[in-house]
Amino acid sequence: MNNLLKVALAQISPVWLNKEKTIEKIEKSILDAAKQNCELIVFGEALLPGYPFWLALTGGAEWNTKTNKEIHAHYIRNSITIEKGELDSICKLAKEHKMAIYLGIMERAANRGGHSIYASLVYINEEGEIKSVHRKLQPTYDERLTWAPGDGNGLQVHPLKEFTVGGLNCWENWMPLPRTALYGLGENLHIAVWPGSDHNTNDITRFIARESRSFVISVSALMQKTDFPKDIPYYDKIVKDAPEVLANGGSCIAGPDGEWIVEPVLHKEGLIIETIDFNRVLEERQNFDAVGHYSRPDVTKLHVNRERQSTVSFED
């Protein structure tokens, strides 16, 4: 039935800072979800090729150090240039299995020169087409030492059966105006992606669901000290003071009433699968609709700039 959607939350660890091996792991998760007839699979923030945990472990704010420069260069080399077809194999699987995908990547943006990287959330539809690439608007805290700020181009929603799906990266989910932009586009299935840990997902997942009267899917990655590959630059320095667990998961689903459908799942790698019913959205909008009958656009209104930002434009 069109009102039912089977979703898979892929709570996995990356092969940290190795894009080829992480892609292989992502593809395996897609195939596993296909065996269970899932129609949407979601992966965590920056999963491909991994979150920059080293920043808090190696004095990431120190100016002009060889350590930070070499790790940053390694990170860029393992980030994804979409224009080079580096997501083609994932798109092919989406098409073969008629499965939509939300995937957190580090994007090496060609239209910004190709040397800065963005925490981007990519939506691939069930035809295997990349329909939006949302670059995180504001990197959080030490992320700003290695990630560039994005733009509004990716504030998009997409049809998926009866649902309208949209998504944000990590602490963007705390930003009221980007949330409102997605609500105004008709979003009723919100995707929130995180690097990991239930301290991020435990409160905001239910809050957004109750505010928007939508389903909210939060997906986090996992990361343990033992997941740092020994061949990365400055491995000894990175692991010296690293905690045993850097990301414990916390993937979860809340319904449009703000109650748990799946409570945060901790320390467990694999797929979390659930079927959600669109009718629940319509039921909960009866008493509250933030951009519909409970809004006052004559008093407050949001302006959104969705132009893809680029430093240079050319006329040939």
Side-chain angles (χ1 to χ4, degrees), residues 281-293:
V281 173
L282 300 181
E283 292 171 7
E284 293 303 322
R285 298 292 175 107
Q286 185 269 334
N287 59 10
F288 186 77
D289 186 352
V291 293
H293 67 77

Side-chain angles (χ1 to χ4, degrees), residues 120-163:
S120 294
L121 181 58
V122 178
Y123 179 73
I124 303 167
N125 71 6
E126 59 270 45
E127 297 301 320
E129 303 165 331
I130 296 176
K131 302 303 287 186
S132 66
V133 179
H134 175 53
R135 296 173 184 166
K136 188 174 184 178
L137 295 171
Q138 183 60 55
T140 304
Y141 206 60
D142 57 3
E143 294 169 0
R144 300 174 199 180
L145 297 167
T146 195
W147 297 354
D151 57 38
N153 182 260
L155 291 175
Q156 309 278 352
V157 297
H158 308 282
L160 185 59
K161 298 181 81 171
E162 287 194 22
F163 286 91

Side-chain angles (χ1 to χ4, degrees), residues 78-97:
N78 279 277
S79 296
I80 297 298
T81 303
I82 295 173
E83 295 84 353
K84 291 183 178 180
E86 292 185 315
L87 295 181
D88 284 0
S89 63
I90 294 172
C91 291
K92 182 180 178 182
L93 286 178
K95 183 175 183 179
E96 286 177 1
H97 299 286

Side-chain angles (χ1 to χ4, degrees), residues 122-288:
V122 178
Y123 179 73
I124 303 167
N125 71 6
E126 59 270 45
E127 297 301 320
E129 303 165 331
I130 296 176
K131 302 303 287 186
S132 66
V133 179
H134 175 53
R135 296 173 184 166
K136 188 174 184 178
L137 295 171
Q138 183 60 55
T140 304
Y141 206 60
D142 57 3
E143 294 169 0
R144 300 174 199 180
L145 297 167
T146 195
W147 297 354
D151 57 38
N153 182 260
L155 291 175
Q156 309 278 352
V157 297
H158 308 282
L160 185 59
K161 298 181 81 171
E162 287 194 22
F163 286 91
T164 301
V165 60
L168 294 172
N169 297 282
C170 198
W171 271 25
E172 281 187 314
N173 289 286
W174 285 111
M175 297 171 74
L177 301 185
R179 290 200 311 267
T180 302
L182 297 180
Y183 300 164
L185 291 167
E187 182 191 69
N188 47 52
L189 172 54
H190 181 77
I191 305 301
V193 297
W194 310 86
S197 300
D198 59 316
H199 70 264
N200 283 318
T201 63
N202 194 53
D203 295 324
I204 190 68
T205 305
R206 294 181 64 200
F207 168 75
I208 294 177
R210 187 160 292 175
E211 175 185 67
S212 64
R213 306 302 162 108
S214 300
F215 286 95
V216 178
I217 295 175
S218 281
V219 178
S220 296
L222 296 166
M223 188 73 186
Q224 299 184 66
K225 184 176 182 177
T226 53
D227 290 328
F228 287 115
K230 292 184 178 180
D231 61 352
I232 58 172
Y234 298 97
Y235 168 82
D236 291 338
K237 190 170 185 178
I238 291 172
V239 300
K240 178 177 179 292
D241 296 315
E244 293 302 319
V245 177
L246 296 98
N248 67 5
S251 300
C252 51
I253 304 174
D257 59 354
E259 299 302 319
W260 289 124
I261 295 174
V262 176
E263 294 189 27
V265 176
L266 304 180
H267 305 291
K268 182 179 179 181
E269 183 158 18
L271 299 180
I272 303 161
I273 296 174
E274 189 63 51
T275 297
I276 58 177
D277 183 354
F278 174 75
N279 285 334
R280 293 284 294 113
V281 173
L282 300 181
E283 292 171 7
E284 293 303 322
R285 298 292 175 107
Q286 185 269 334
N287 59 10
F288 186 77

Side-chain angles (χ1 to χ4, degrees), residues 290 292 294-301:
Y294 219 89
S295 64
R296 284 294 304 275
D298 57 319
V299 179
T300 57
K301 187 177 290 188

